[in-house]
Amino acid sequence: MVQTIASIPLPVMENLQIKKNRLEGGSGEERKRLSVVTGIHGDELEGQYVCFELNRQIAANPQFLHGIVDIYPAMNPLGIDSITRGIPGFDLDMNRVFPGNDNGSMTEHLAARIIEDLEGSDLCIDIHASNIFLTELPQVRINELHRETLVPIAEKLNVDFIWVHQSSTVLESTLAYSLNSRNTPTLVVEMGVGMRITKAYCQQMVRGIFSVMHEMGMWSGPVDAPRKPMIADRDDAVLFLNAPVAGVFISQARHGDRLKKGSPVGVIVDPLEGSILERMKAPEDGILFTIREYPVVNEGSLIARILREEALA
């Protein structure tokens, strides 16, 4: 059942509406509730396909559902419509205004209504893509303050790895932080690339969500065994490769490759003179989980992230 959780009048007799689709199965007060959220950033579209597949597969097999699944495909509908990361007209990242204020500005009011509707879920999965510049392996990012609660759940989500962040690097104004602080367990998923849909990653995530639902007792249908994720929980677990010069980046490694120290990651070239300005190499053994997607780079642009082999838990 489609429900409107927030509605705000816009100029010229229009309304901004945030909607969810509630799917219910079974009965009783002990039913668990899973909330799947995406579209906070309007240029991140991977979650749209995940929502489509969840709706389609649950609707095709309603007898297997024993709980409540709330699907929120577009938390920032204006951003999605205009291919804008933030809320257009406000130059504001929606994931920097939570928990919001019901009596505040339009964006604060929307954030407050979203929190109110999600709070109390047994689990919330907040799905993001990368930006248009980078592509990411499917991963869950977790604040170390909530690792004991969230890591065991994330291990069932069929992602490639789990990145546990220091609490000092986590913004308190995000949806996930606000919900976790209110005892609503929330996982943040990052995968794919901005403005695109990577079907293989989306299908991997859908299988993971059904695996988690099965673990929660919400789904009795067949599920695939989730892959065992790598876990990065050390401060020095991730290596960052940044461009030392401006130019055009040409990748020489594939996403997900296991690299040896000195392995080529890519080259930065000068198209005007046909010269190679810099050869980017892996500084240590590790796994390439982030790679530059948009080729034009400036000095300091992020080229890649490598998960250090020796830091894997």
Side-chain angles (χ1 to χ4, degrees), residues 142-176:
I142 293 173
N143 182 339
E144 67 177 357
L145 295 174
H146 306 109
R147 63 173 297 160
E148 290 187 9
T149 300
L150 298 181
V151 168
I153 304 172
E155 288 179 312
K156 304 294 183 181
L157 199 52
N158 200 37
V159 293
D160 289 88
F161 87 102
I162 299 167
W163 189 357
V164 181
H165 282 270
Q166 293 182 9
S167 58
S168 60
T169 65
V170 176
L171 295 172
E172 297 182 5
S173 54
T174 62
L175 174 68

Short mmCIF file of all heavy atoms in Angstrom, two decimals, residues 142-176:
data_model
loop_
_atom_site.label_atom_id
_atom_site.label_comp_id
_atom_site.label_asym_id
_atom_site.label_seq_id
_atom_site.Cartn_x
_atom_site.Cartn_y
_atom_site.Cartn_z
N ILE A 142 30.00 1.53 8.75
CA ILE A 142 29.45 1.47 10.10
C ILE A 142 30.27 2.36 11.03
O ILE A 142 31.50 2.33 11.03
CB ILE A 142 29.45 0.02 10.63
CG1 ILE A 142 28.46 -0.84 9.82
CG2 ILE A 142 29.10 -0.03 12.11
CD1 ILE A 142 28.53 -2.32 10.17
N ASN A 143 29.58 3.14 11.83
CA ASN A 143 30.20 3.90 12.90
C ASN A 143 30.66 2.93 13.99
O ASN A 143 29.89 2.07 14.43
CB ASN A 143 29.15 4.88 13.46
CG ASN A 143 29.67 5.78 14.55
OD1 ASN A 143 30.67 5.48 15.21
ND2 ASN A 143 28.98 6.88 14.78
N GLU A 144 31.91 3.07 14.43
CA GLU A 144 32.44 2.13 15.42
C GLU A 144 31.64 2.13 16.72
O GLU A 144 31.67 1.15 17.47
CB GLU A 144 33.91 2.43 15.71
CG GLU A 144 34.16 3.75 16.42
CD GLU A 144 35.64 3.95 16.76
OE1 GLU A 144 36.43 3.03 16.48
OE2 GLU A 144 35.98 5.02 17.29
N LEU A 145 30.89 3.20 16.98
CA LEU A 145 30.05 3.24 18.19
C LEU A 145 28.96 2.17 18.16
O LEU A 145 28.46 1.76 19.20
CB LEU A 145 29.41 4.62 18.34
CG LEU A 145 30.36 5.80 18.59
CD1 LEU A 145 29.58 7.11 18.57
CD2 LEU A 145 31.10 5.63 19.91
N HIS A 146 28.59 1.72 16.95
CA HIS A 146 27.49 0.77 16.82
C HIS A 146 27.94 -0.56 16.21
O HIS A 146 27.12 -1.34 15.73
CB HIS A 146 26.37 1.38 15.95
CG HIS A 146 25.90 2.71 16.44
ND1 HIS A 146 26.15 3.89 15.79
CD2 HIS A 146 25.20 3.06 17.55
CE1 HIS A 146 25.62 4.90 16.45
NE2 HIS A 146 25.04 4.42 17.53
N ARG A 147 29.23 -0.82 16.22
CA ARG A 147 29.76 -2.00 15.53
C ARG A 147 29.23 -3.30 16.13
O ARG A 147 28.95 -4.25 15.39
CB ARG A 147 31.28 -2.00 15.52
CG ARG A 147 31.96 -2.08 16.87
CD ARG A 147 33.47 -2.26 16.70
NE ARG A 147 33.75 -3.51 16.02
CZ ARG A 147 34.88 -3.78 15.41
NH1 ARG A 147 35.83 -2.87 15.37
NH2 ARG A 147 35.08 -4.95 14.85
N GLU A 148 29.09 -3.38 17.44
CA GLU A 148 28.65 -4.63 18.06
C GLU A 148 27.25 -5.02 17.61
O GLU A 148 26.95 -6.20 17.42
CB GLU A 148 28.71 -4.52 19.58
CG GLU A 148 30.13 -4.46 20.13
CD GLU A 148 30.16 -4.51 21.64
OE1 GLU A 148 29.10 -4.77 22.25
OE2 GLU A 148 31.24 -4.30 22.22
N THR A 149 26.41 -4.02 17.41
CA THR A 149 25.04 -4.29 16.96
C THR A 149 24.97 -4.53 15.46
O THR A 149 24.28 -5.45 14.99
CB THR A 149 24.13 -3.10 17.32
OG1 THR A 149 24.13 -2.92 18.73
CG2 THR A 149 22.70 -3.35 16.85
N LEU A 150 25.71 -3.73 14.68
CA LEU A 150 25.51 -3.69 13.24
C LEU A 150 26.37 -4.66 12.44
O LEU A 150 25.92 -5.15 11.39
CB LEU A 150 25.73 -2.27 12.72
CG LEU A 150 24.77 -1.20 13.27
CD1 LEU A 150 25.10 0.15 12.65
CD2 LEU A 150 23.32 -1.57 13.00
N VAL A 151 27.59 -4.95 12.88
CA VAL A 151 28.45 -5.84 12.09
C VAL A 151 27.83 -7.22 11.89
O VAL A 151 27.83 -7.75 10.77
CB VAL A 151 29.86 -5.93 12.70
CG1 VAL A 151 30.66 -7.08 12.06
CG2 VAL A 151 30.60 -4.62 12.52
N PRO A 152 27.25 -7.87 12.92
CA PRO A 152 26.65 -9.18 12.69
C PRO A 152 25.50 -9.14 11.67
O PRO A 152 25.30 -10.12 10.93
CB PRO A 152 26.13 -9.58 14.09
CG PRO A 152 26.99 -8.82 15.04
CD PRO A 152 27.24 -7.51 14.37
N ILE A 153 24.77 -8.04 11.63
CA ILE A 153 23.69 -7.92 10.63
C ILE A 153 24.29 -7.70 9.25
O ILE A 153 23.88 -8.33 8.26
CB ILE A 153 22.75 -6.76 10.99
CG1 ILE A 153 22.18 -6.92 12.40
CG2 ILE A 153 21.60 -6.66 9.97
CD1 ILE A 153 21.40 -5.70 12.88
N ALA A 154 25.29 -6.83 9.18
CA ALA A 154 25.92 -6.52 7.89
C ALA A 154 26.56 -7.75 7.26
O ALA A 154 26.62 -7.87 6.03
CB ALA A 154 26.95 -5.41 8.07
N GLU A 155 27.02 -8.67 8.08
CA GLU A 155 27.65 -9.88 7.56
C GLU A 155 26.67 -10.75 6.78
O GLU A 155 27.08 -11.62 6.01
CB GLU A 155 28.28 -10.68 8.70
CG GLU A 155 29.52 -10.04 9.29
CD GLU A 155 30.10 -10.83 10.43
OE1 GLU A 155 29.34 -11.22 11.34
OE2 GLU A 155 31.33 -11.07 10.42
N LYS A 156 25.37 -10.54 6.97
CA LYS A 156 24.34 -11.31 6.26
C LYS A 156 23.87 -10.62 5.00
O LYS A 156 23.01 -11.14 4.28
CB LYS A 156 23.14 -11.55 7.19
CG LYS A 156 23.47 -12.23 8.51
CD LYS A 156 23.94 -13.66 8.29
CE LYS A 156 24.19 -14.37 9.62
NZ LYS A 156 24.68 -15.76 9.41
N LEU A 157 24.39 -9.43 4.70
CA LEU A 157 23.82 -8.59 3.64
C LEU A 157 24.45 -8.84 2.27
O LEU A 157 24.12 -8.15 1.31
CB LEU A 157 23.94 -7.11 4.03
CG LEU A 157 23.05 -6.10 3.32
CD1 LEU A 157 21.58 -6.50 3.36
CD2 LEU A 157 23.24 -4.70 3.88
N ASN A 158 25.36 -9.81 2.17
CA ASN A 158 25.89 -10.22 0.87
C ASN A 158 26.77 -9.15 0.22
O ASN A 158 26.89 -9.10 -1.01
CB ASN A 158 24.75 -10.60 -0.08
CG ASN A 158 25.21 -11.49 -1.23
OD1 ASN A 158 26.07 -12.36 -1.07
ND2 ASN A 158 24.65 -11.26 -2.42
N VAL A 159 27.40 -8.30 1.04
CA VAL A 159 28.30 -7.28 0.49
C VAL A 159 29.71 -7.82 0.42
O VAL A 159 30.04 -8.85 1.02
CB VAL A 159 28.26 -5.99 1.33
CG1 VAL A 159 26.90 -5.32 1.23
CG2 VAL A 159 28.62 -6.27 2.79
N ASP A 160 30.58 -7.10 -0.30
CA ASP A 160 31.96 -7.54 -0.44
C ASP A 160 32.79 -7.24 0.80
O ASP A 160 33.68 -8.01 1.15
CB ASP A 160 32.59 -6.89 -1.67
CG ASP A 160 32.02 -7.46 -2.96
OD1 ASP A 160 30.99 -6.95 -3.43
OD2 ASP A 160 32.59 -8.43 -3.47
N PHE A 161 32.51 -6.09 1.41
CA PHE A 161 33.23 -5.83 2.66
C PHE A 161 32.50 -4.82 3.53
O PHE A 161 31.57 -4.14 3.11
CB PHE A 161 34.69 -5.41 2.39
CG PHE A 161 34.92 -3.95 2.14
CD1 PHE A 161 35.44 -3.14 3.13
CD2 PHE A 161 34.64 -3.39 0.90
CE1 PHE A 161 35.68 -1.81 2.90
CE2 PHE A 161 34.88 -2.06 0.66
CZ PHE A 161 35.40 -1.25 1.66
N ILE A 162 32.94 -4.78 4.78
CA ILE A 162 32.36 -3.91 5.81
C ILE A 162 33.47 -2.98 6.28
O ILE A 162 34.55 -3.42 6.66
CB ILE A 162 31.82 -4.74 6.99
CG1 ILE A 162 30.71 -5.68 6.51
CG2 ILE A 162 31.31 -3.83 8.10
CD1 ILE A 162 30.33 -6.75 7.53
N TRP A 163 33.19 -1.69 6.23
CA TRP A 163 34.17 -0.67 6.61
C TRP A 163 33.68 -0.02 7.90
O TRP A 163 32.69 0.70 7.90
CB TRP A 163 34.30 0.35 5.49
CG TRP A 163 35.43 1.33 5.65
CD1 TRP A 163 36.29 1.44 6.70
CD2 TRP A 163 35.82 2.33 4.70
NE1 TRP A 163 37.19 2.45 6.47
CE2 TRP A 163 36.93 3.01 5.25
CE3 TRP A 163 35.34 2.72 3.45
CZ2 TRP A 163 37.55 4.06 4.59
CZ3 TRP A 163 35.96 3.76 2.79
CH2 TRP A 163 37.06 4.43 3.36
N VAL A 164 34.39 -0.27 9.00
CA VAL A 164 34.05 0.32 10.29
C VAL A 164 34.83 1.62 10.45
O VAL A 164 36.07 1.61 10.49
CB VAL A 164 34.36 -0.65 11.45
CG1 VAL A 164 33.98 -0.02 12.78
CG2 VAL A 164 33.63 -1.97 11.25
N HIS A 165 34.11 2.73 10.53
CA HIS A 165 34.72 4.05 10.61
C HIS A 165 34.93 4.47 12.06
O HIS A 165 34.17 4.08 12.95
CB HIS A 165 33.81 5.11 9.97
CG HIS A 165 33.86 5.12 8.47
ND1 HIS A 165 34.75 5.87 7.76
CD2 HIS A 165 33.12 4.45 7.55
CE1 HIS A 165 34.56 5.71 6.47
NE2 HIS A 165 33.58 4.83 6.31
N GLN A 166 35.93 5.30 12.27
CA GLN A 166 36.07 5.96 13.56
C GLN A 166 34.87 6.86 13.80
O GLN A 166 34.33 7.47 12.87
CB GLN A 166 37.34 6.81 13.61
CG GLN A 166 38.63 6.04 13.55
CD GLN A 166 39.83 6.97 13.65
OE1 GLN A 166 39.69 8.16 13.92
NE2 GLN A 166 40.99 6.43 13.44
N SER A 167 34.45 6.97 15.05
CA SER A 167 33.30 7.83 15.36
C SER A 167 33.58 9.29 15.03
O SER A 167 32.67 10.06 14.71
CB SER A 167 32.92 7.69 16.84
OG SER A 167 34.02 8.02 17.67
N SER A 168 34.85 9.69 15.07
CA SER A 168 35.19 11.09 14.81
C SER A 168 35.00 11.47 13.35
O SER A 168 34.93 12.65 13.02
CB SER A 168 36.64 11.36 15.20
OG SER A 168 37.53 10.54 14.46
N THR A 169 34.93 10.47 12.45
CA THR A 169 34.76 10.76 11.02
C THR A 169 33.30 10.67 10.58
O THR A 169 33.01 10.87 9.40
CB THR A 169 35.59 9.77 10.19
OG1 THR A 169 35.08 8.45 10.36
CG2 THR A 169 37.05 9.81 10.58
N VAL A 170 32.40 10.37 11.49
CA VAL A 170 30.99 10.19 11.13
C VAL A 170 30.21 11.46 11.44
O VAL A 170 30.28 11.99 12.55
CB VAL A 170 30.38 8.99 11.90
CG1 VAL A 170 28.90 8.86 11.60
CG2 VAL A 170 31.11 7.71 11.52
N LEU A 171 29.47 11.95 10.48
CA LEU A 171 28.70 13.17 10.66
C LEU A 171 27.41 12.88 11.44
O LEU A 171 26.65 11.98 11.08
CB LEU A 171 28.36 13.79 9.30
CG LEU A 171 29.56 14.28 8.49
CD1 LEU A 171 29.13 14.70 7.10
CD2 LEU A 171 30.25 15.43 9.20
N GLU A 172 27.18 13.66 12.49
CA GLU A 172 26.02 13.42 13.33
C GLU A 172 24.72 13.86 12.67
O GLU A 172 23.63 13.54 13.17
CB GLU A 172 26.20 14.16 14.66
CG GLU A 172 27.39 13.65 15.47
CD GLU A 172 27.52 14.36 16.82
OE1 GLU A 172 26.63 15.16 17.15
OE2 GLU A 172 28.51 14.09 17.52
N SER A 173 24.80 14.55 11.54
CA SER A 173 23.60 15.05 10.87
C SER A 173 23.09 14.11 9.79
O SER A 173 22.21 14.47 9.02
CB SER A 173 23.89 16.42 10.25
OG SER A 173 25.03 16.35 9.40
N THR A 174 23.62 12.88 9.73
CA THR A 174 23.16 11.93 8.73
C THR A 174 21.94 11.16 9.23
O THR A 174 21.69 11.06 10.43
CB THR A 174 24.26 10.93 8.37
OG1 THR A 174 24.60 10.16 9.54
CG2 THR A 174 25.50 11.64 7.83
N LEU A 175 21.23 10.58 8.28
CA LEU A 175 20.07 9.76 8.62
C LEU A 175 20.48 8.58 9.49
O LEU A 175 19.84 8.30 10.52
CB LEU A 175 19.39 9.26 7.34
CG LEU A 175 18.23 8.28 7.54
CD1 LEU A 175 17.04 8.97 8.19
CD2 LEU A 175 17.83 7.64 6.22
N ALA A 176 21.56 7.90 9.10
CA ALA A 176 21.97 6.70 9.83
C ALA A 176 22.36 7.02 11.27
O ALA A 176 21.97 6.31 12.20
CB ALA A 176 23.14 6.03 9.10
#
